[in-house]
Amino acid sequence: SSSSNSPPANSNNEDLAAKNALRFAPSNSQQEQALTKLLPDDLKARVGQQSQTTERIPLSGNNSGESSAGDGFDDGDDDDLNIRNLSSAKSLIGTCKNMCPDEELLRREREGDIQLLEITDPGGLHPEHWTLRDTAVKRFRRSAADFKLDIPELVRPPEVLERVCGYLEEWVMERDRQGPDYRFAQQPSIVPPPLDVYQFIWDRTRMIRKDFILQNYIGNGGKCDARAVRCHERIARWHAMCEHQLSHIPDFVQHQSQQNIAELGQTMKTLNLYYDDALGRSTLEVASEEKLDHNQGCSSDIVMGKSPIDFDGSALSNATDGDDVSKRLIGKHGMKSPTRGTAEPEMRGLYILLTMNNEGGMEVLKYSGRLCVQRPDVFYSRPVQLALSVFQSKKEHNYARFFKILRSPATPYLYACIMFKYVEHMRKDALMIMSKTYGAKHKTTGEPFFDSYPLENLVELLCYENEEEAREACLHYGITVQDDQVLWRHSKFCEPHDPVKNTIIQLKPRKMIRTIECKLRVGNDGFV
Amino acid sequence: ALLDTHAAIRTNDLAKVYEAQSSFHSAFNHTFGSYKGNWLIPALHVVCRNTHKAAVLADKAVNRIKNTRNDHARLHSAVTLLQASYSKTLNDRVDMRRNEPLSEDGSKKVGVLYIVNQLFSMYFELNTLRLCKNLLKPVESRGIHESGSIGEMVTYRYYVGRLNMFEDQYDLAEKNFDYALRHCHKSASANKKRILNYLVPVKLLRGRLPTIKLLEKYSLNEFLPLLNGMRTGNLMEFSDGLMKNQDLFIRRGTYLLLEKCKMICYRNLFKRVYKIIGKEQIRLEMIARSFKWLGMPIDLDEVECILANLIFKQYIRGYLSHAKRVLVLSKKDPFPTSKVIKS
């Protein structure tokens, strides 16, 4: 009857979602009522009414918002008179004022398909007066033959989408680090599992991005403004951050990381379209209909609930004042920023870091070449130059430089999170090169000499967490370590091979708390 | 159809010109196929060349009007036309006999090389290089590239050289470009420059430096700072020079190759330090100092890293001692000359 099934070993998206759904058996009316109680009053009145299935039947007329051309709602007569001209088609304008459209909320409530992280807890986790309307968020769905997405009532306009970003950041994103969450009382762990929170945020932010696309926010030939840019930047930052923050979870590394990077790539692709907009609208602020807070969807400068504690037990800063708060681009301080809270240089640099391996390095060269010509102010900015120096050091196999940059306080946390993707490759390079170039072998006896290298130096050079990790890495690659010395010439570097699968066994780097996470602890410079 | 093309030219509408040319070419292909012999080849070549030109110009005009950069529809369609011409020449059953005048009995195969060259040029413009490979096999298996006019053979080698570069086959590229340069007509300096644009970087990577006279003769000024940097081991000059013309090199596709020449810069710098110090054991501190003189201060770990890379790639013969912070050079030939270097 209830939701506490043990999750299968290889959780894929659907399984995690199912695991999270609060599924009630129809016979259990008490639990059914519990959900209904959480609905806002105006929707309570509609419970039990026949579902309007607006999701399936096209709307009549154009009372709210305009339909996009060619969506099948057009009057058949028009076809005879005009040829549909795409260039005069109008963009869909969403009219849904809530984080989740009423239709969806009603349907999901009826089916008991409200996820744990969306359950309202008035007076507990959430303010007294909150209802499901304040906590439910539109889920990701693909359009299908029997389900159309581009209906104005179902699509949220940019102001609302910013609010969703703010809500997710303040009320949901840190749930895995804020201790027990009584909504998870029936679950194996009362602290929300990080992968569940990850899955939820990913799903909801994916729908945010989709709502923008549905409203034709595609840059040239479509719409573009600062709100779309800010939302995508926030989502991009979250994806980038997860790459490293969840790297201590093997399930994430093996099954989710690849997809996470792909989603980050998609988000950045859209951002590039915005920045490349011929009309330069990426910093254009649009006056919202309702003059809500000018806080870019943020209701607060801090995370709501208990101050988060990181996975290794260290406290995370959640203060309302301080340098890092007043310098923020997003939030009430963000409106001071000349770029309306957008950060093109930071994101361009991030894109470079993300695509360093594409086309053998040509993608970065072409990308930066274009930037240099078309946007020199961005090209010569600190973030982009930093990203290019990382690219350079990787290309030249300059592992000393790569790790120097990684450790440097001038390198922001987010950049370090993406550099993490290349750490193992650089370490492997270093070990391979050093194993052939330090020390020598006696011409006649073959005895190695002069090849000792203190292990602790290696730990520093390649930013290992500790000597244990460095020792393990040397062992993995066939390099001899005796006591506290690496002896480069005593054995040959080689990559272990799996004879059964016929693949190379990859070594996954440990989460870099000492080098990367520490950037969150100290007041970091960032890009102001 | 030919008259239509001429009429279109007078309207100054480049898209129309291409359309007319395209119909004409199509009709010509058909005609060409139905006549015995190869006496129509010269005409076919002219038609191909004109189609190519018209397509490029038409695309440019359309892009200008639409304010885009990526509309290559006409060039794509021109490719199809030339591919048809190519197959009509290649698949001629008559055996090719070299150096015979054109006649009704001759093989159409003599016309292949010219069309292949046109197609190469178009594929490079469209950046569809994999299609070039489809042309290589049939041509080389039939030995078509070894006969024909010198002009055709030179052009062919030029494009194949560029393809080699794309696949990092620099040895082959050097051979092909060398041939092209040697056989290029004395007065065709524009073509020689085109060849040198690619031959110079390839040779640089092998450590063969051009003379300043050569660079000046063909206005290859973009290579001057690179040359100086490599000769004297001046990293700054090399890096600056590379950055200044980054755009140009990227467009030509030679940037990554030139980047690799940095290694040779390092090698020459260290060789100078070695010559100055005169001993086989060089303290890493000395090398760090040479970087400082160039205005690029560096720490010992990074010095070790750069040296390790050079030793690994066999530009330097020797080894490092971390404990003593020293580079120990081989007594014999510590800086092997470039002939020995594997690219």
Side-chain angles (χ1 to χ4, degrees):
Chain A
S1 61
S2 106
S3 45
S4 43
N5 304 314
S6 44
N10 299 335
S11 354
N12 59 29
N13 304 344
E14 271 68 35
D15 290 341
L16 276 175
K19 196 180 80 145
N20 238 343
L22 195 61
R23 295 214 171 276
F24 294 114
S27 55
N28 194 330
S29 59
Q30 202 187 33
Q31 283 170 313
E32 243 180 20
Q33 281 170 19
L35 262 188
T36 315
K37 259 205 289 210
L38 294 174
L39 281 174
D41 292 331
D42 62 322
L43 289 187
K44 273 190 191 141
R46 287 161 69 180
V47 169
Q49 265 180 18
Q50 184 133 75
S51 74
Q52 304 199 278
T53 59
T54 6
E55 293 158 355
R56 289 154 192 264
I57 299 172
L59 292 169
S60 52
N62 284 329
N63 43 356
S64 45
E66 298 142 346
S67 312
S68 42
D71 62 358
F73 295 163
D74 287 335
D75 195 341
D77 286 347
D78 283 340
D79 277 356
D80 301 335
L81 300 172
N82 324 308
I83 301 172
R84 283 198 194 126
N85 189 347
L86 272 179
S87 60
S88 68
K90 297 212 183 75
S91 308
L92 176 73
I93 297 180
T95 58
C96 173
K97 291 280 180 265
N98 302 309
M99 298 198 295
C100 181
D102 288 345
E103 311 303 328
E104 181 182 321
L105 184 51
L106 280 170
R107 176 178 53 80
R108 288 209 275 138
E109 185 273 333
R110 193 177 60 241
E111 296 171 5
D113 191 11
I114 306 285
Q115 290 179 263
L116 288 176
L117 286 165
E118 280 174 311
I119 301 264
T120 326
D121 181 21
L125 288 173
H126 301 127
E128 210 42 83
H129 62 282
W130 274 26
T131 65
L132 274 174
R133 181 167 276 149
D134 302 294
T135 57
V137 183
K138 186 178 174 190
R139 288 177 91 162
F140 179 74
R141 268 186 90 163
R142 293 200 164 83
S143 47
D146 63 344
F147 178 64
K148 291 197 146 282
L149 288 179
D150 51 350
I151 298 175
E153 274 79 7
L154 298 183
V155 176
R156 300 160 292 179
E159 319 78 79
V160 179
L161 290 169
E162 271 210 292
R163 246 197 309 130
V164 180
C165 282
Y167 164 73
L168 290 173
E169 287 161 10
E170 290 156 28
W171 295 92
V172 189
M173 240 179 225
E174 288 294 330
R175 283 290 160 204
D176 53 338
R177 298 198 279 193
Q178 291 177 288
D181 180 330
Y182 293 95
R183 298 174 296 182
F184 282 72
Q186 313 281 14
Q187 300 293 305
S189 157
I190 196 173
V191 178
L195 287 188
D196 287 11
V197 177
Y198 171 80
Q199 201 61 38
F200 184 84
I201 302 284
W202 175 37
D203 182 275
R204 300 309 192 262
T205 53
R206 210 171 168 199
M207 197 62 222
I208 293 176
R209 285 191 281 129
K210 194 150 188 108
D211 269 1
F212 272 114
I213 302 283
L214 287 170
Q215 294 173 91
N216 211 20
Y217 274 87
I218 54 172
N220 282 331
K223 286 168 132 163
C224 175
D225 65 44
R227 296 169 301 186
V229 176
R230 285 194 298 258
C231 284
H232 280 80
E233 287 181 358
R234 286 155 96 162
I235 295 172
R237 289 195 190 102
W238 174 76
H239 276 291
M241 184 178 91
C242 286
E243 249 331 279
H244 184 252
Q245 283 191 353
L246 300 179
S247 61
H248 64 287
I249 303 175
D251 200 10
F252 178 82
V253 175
Q254 273 153 29
H255 299 119
Q256 312 279 56
S257 166
Q258 203 174 13
Q259 185 141 59
N260 188 44
I261 291 286
E263 288 295 334
L264 174 57
Q266 279 299 99
T267 312
M268 309 263 12
K269 254 172 125 176
T270 311
L271 274 170
N272 276 327
L273 288 177
Y274 293 158
Y275 298 136
D276 287 337
D277 181 48
L279 299 168
R281 295 171 288 175
S282 66
T283 53
L284 183 67
E285 193 60 69
V286 174
S288 306
E289 307 267 74
E290 317 155 53
K291 279 286 193 162
L292 287 172
D293 37 54
H294 281 281
N295 298 353
Q296 296 143 350
C298 303
S299 313
S300 147
D301 282 329
I302 58 170
V303 167
M304 299 281 98
K306 266 201 271 182
S307 278
I309 303 216
D310 204 353
F311 302 111
D312 65 340
S314 31
L316 293 169
S317 154
N318 197 28
T320 48
D321 48 22
D323 247 7
D324 53 327
V325 176
S326 60
K327 284 189 192 167
R328 261 187 221 165
L329 291 174
I330 302 289
K332 66 170 183 275
H333 298 278
M335 297 317 283
K336 294 186 239 142
S337 116
T339 55
R340 316 306 281 167
T342 68
E344 180 179 350
E346 179 194 348
M347 291 291 138
R348 295 283 200 184
L350 205 65
Y351 184 81
I352 287 173
L353 289 178
L354 205 60
T355 54
M356 292 206 294
N357 276 335
N358 292 16
E359 285 180 59
M362 283 307 291
E363 163 117 37
V364 170
L365 285 176
K366 287 191 249 179
Y367 185 76
S368 55
R370 262 177 295 150
L371 266 184
C372 185
V373 171
Q374 291 165 0
R375 303 294 306 276
D377 54 322
V378 174
F379 179 81
Y380 287 107
S381 68
R382 229 168 48 151
V384 172
Q385 290 299 309
L386 176 62
L388 287 174
S389 71
V390 175
F391 174 69
Q392 192 88 315
S393 59
K394 173 175 185 295
K395 228 175 348 111
E396 294 175 6
H397 305 277
N398 192 333
Y399 44 85
R401 186 137 241 278
F402 179 88
F403 285 102
K404 190 158 161 202
I405 296 175
L406 183 64
R407 10 181 146 99
S408 160
T411 301
Y413 175 71
L414 224 52
Y415 276 30
C417 288
I418 298 296
M419 284 175 78
F420 181 63
K421 293 240 68 73
Y422 303 97
V423 158
E424 193 51 43
H425 168 91
M426 295 305 296
R427 281 180 181 161
K428 185 170 80 163
D429 243 8
L431 295 177
M432 183 171 68
I433 291 173
M434 292 168 93
S435 73
K436 284 207 149 145
T437 55
Y438 280 85
K441 287 199 171 151
H442 212 270
K443 244 187 289 224
T444 38
T445 63
E447 272 299 307
F449 60 93
F450 281 166
D451 63 336
S452 71
Y453 192 102
L455 191 65
E456 63 179 353
N457 284 173
L458 195 68
V459 172
E460 283 313 307
L461 184 72
L462 304 180
C463 293
Y464 285 113
E465 277 302 280
N466 46 38
E467 287 196 10
E468 190 199 327
E469 190 188 7
R471 216 180 282 271
E472 185 186 283
C474 287
L475 186 64
H476 179 93
Y477 289 110
I479 293 171
T480 310
V481 180
Q482 235 174 59
D483 298 325
D484 61 342
Q485 297 289 324
V486 181
L487 299 170
W488 294 111
R489 298 299 218 136
H490 278 56
S491 54
K492 269 186 125 176
F493 171 95
C494 73
E495 286 191 80
H497 197 248
D498 182 340
V500 176
K501 291 192 210 155
N502 199 24
T503 52
I504 293 181
I505 301 177
Q506 305 274 11
L507 181 64
K508 297 282 183 204
R510 291 190 200 176
K511 186 168 176 181
M512 298 175 77
I513 307 215
R514 193 170 74 81
T515 316
I516 300 184
E517 289 300 305
C518 68
K519 289 175 191 284
L520 285 180
R521 319 275 189 258
V522 185
N524 195 16
D525 184 314
F527 299 124
V528 175
Chain B
L2 179 56
L3 296 173
D4 286 339
T5 316
H6 280 288
I9 293 178
R10 255 180 280 130
T11 68
N12 266 336
D13 180 344
L14 290 167
K16 280 222 179 70
V17 171
Y18 175 71
E19 264 179 57
Q21 173 70 15
S22 167
S23 318
F24 171 55
H25 190 153
S26 182
F28 191 90
N29 273 343
H30 190 76
T31 311
F32 174 76
S34 61
Y35 279 91
K36 219 169 73 102
N38 53 17
W39 53 278
L40 273 176
I41 295 265
L44 177 64
H45 286 174
V46 171
V47 174
C48 286
R49 187 169 74 235
N50 285 341
T51 302
H52 181 183
K53 246 193 188 164
V56 169
L57 289 171
D59 274 342
K60 266 210 194 112
V62 167
N63 279 322
R64 227 181 307 130
I65 295 174
K66 284 187 2 186
N67 199 18
T68 56
R69 279 185 321 182
N70 294 323
D71 188 347
H72 297 300
R74 281 130 230 106
L75 194 53
H76 277 295
S77 102
V79 164
T80 317
L81 289 165
L82 268 87
Q83 279 174 339
S85 307
Y86 159 75
S87 98
K88 287 203 194 289
T89 51
L90 185 72
N91 296 324
D92 189 21
R93 296 205 170 179
V94 179
D95 276 335
M96 189 161 78
R97 289 188 296 271
R98 303 180 181 194
N99 301 323
E100 266 189 13
L102 303 176
S103 69
E104 264 190 347
D105 305 308
S107 170
K108 294 188 173 67
K109 289 205 192 86
V110 300
V112 170
L113 202 54
Y114 183 91
I115 303 178
V116 162
N117 288 337
Q118 285 289 322
L119 279 169
F120 275 153
S121 168
M122 293 158 93
Y123 291 149
F124 269 92
E125 282 161 14
L126 288 169
N127 206 9
T128 52
L129 298 180
R130 45 183 181 79
L131 291 173
C132 293
K133 298 187 83 178
N134 300 345
L135 294 174
L136 282 180
K137 273 218 198 89
V139 166
E140 308 221 328
S141 71
R142 291 174 175 78
I144 292 180
H145 60 304
E146 282 162 3
S147 67
S149 73
I150 304 255
E152 287 171 3
M153 294 198 283
V154 163
T155 309
Y156 179 80
R157 296 289 197 126
Y158 167 74
Y159 281 116
V160 176
R162 288 189 60 187
L163 273 175
N164 294 145
M165 285 186 67
F166 204 70
E167 318 216 305
D168 289 349
Q169 296 166 312
Y170 300 121
D171 285 344
L172 283 175
E174 190 180 355
K175 286 205 183 79
N176 281 314
F177 286 128
D178 262 338
Y179 177 98
L181 187 63
R182 245 180 304 129
H183 293 88
C184 197
H185 194 278
K186 248 172 43 164
S187 58
S189 39
N191 279 345
K192 285 202 221 171
K193 180 179 188 327
R194 279 196 195 98
I195 297 171
L196 282 168
N197 282 339
Y198 297 96
L199 186 55
V200 169
V202 168
K203 284 212 189 275
L204 277 178
L205 187 62
R206 310 263 283 131
R208 317 290 207 101
L209 308 181
T211 60
I212 299 195
K213 252 174 61 182
L214 177 71
L215 295 183
E216 285 175 352
K217 181 173 179 194
Y218 292 101
S219 323
L220 294 164
N221 303 314
E222 64 269 23
F223 293 114
L224 272 171
L226 304 185
L227 170 66
N228 284 332
M230 283 175 77
R231 221 168 20 91
T232 59
N234 189 337
L235 265 165
M236 276 297 252
E237 196 175 353
F238 184 90
S239 293
D240 283 346
L242 196 58
M243 211 171 56
K244 222 172 63 168
N245 288 300
Q246 187 179 296
D247 220 34
L248 177 61
F249 294 136
I250 291 180
R251 260 183 286 129
R252 283 198 204 137
T254 50
Y255 184 87
L256 285 178
L257 176 57
L258 289 167
E259 266 259 327
K260 294 194 185 149
C261 295
K262 235 194 213 173
M263 286 288 230
I264 303 194
C265 254
Y266 282 128
R267 176 238 186 226
N268 289 340
L269 174 64
F270 300 149
K271 188 169 178 184
R272 289 180 100 194
V273 173
Y274 165 61
K275 287 257 152 84
I276 293 173
I277 295 193
K279 287 193 285 212
E280 261 95 39
Q281 288 208 10
I282 306 184
R283 287 191 4 245
L284 298 183
E285 226 186 276
M286 297 289 133
I287 302 205
R289 224 181 276 181
S290 69
F291 276 93
K292 214 171 85 170
W293 291 332
L294 289 174
M296 306 165 68
I298 197 179
D299 65 35
L300 289 187
D301 275 340
E302 205 174 332
V303 171
E304 274 184 24
C305 175
I306 294 177
L307 284 168
N309 268 289
L310 283 165
I311 297 173
F312 187 77
K313 289 246 165 71
Q314 301 176 318
Y315 283 93
I316 294 182
R317 282 153 46 101
Y319 63 88
L320 287 161
S321 164
H322 178 77
K324 297 191 201 274
R325 290 289 199 183
V326 128
L327 166 70
V328 179
L329 290 166
S330 157
K331 291 197 176 51
K332 229 178 47 167
D333 205 16
F335 293 89
T337 51
S338 313
K339 281 206 185 130
V340 179
I341 296 171
K342 289 189 246 175
S343 319

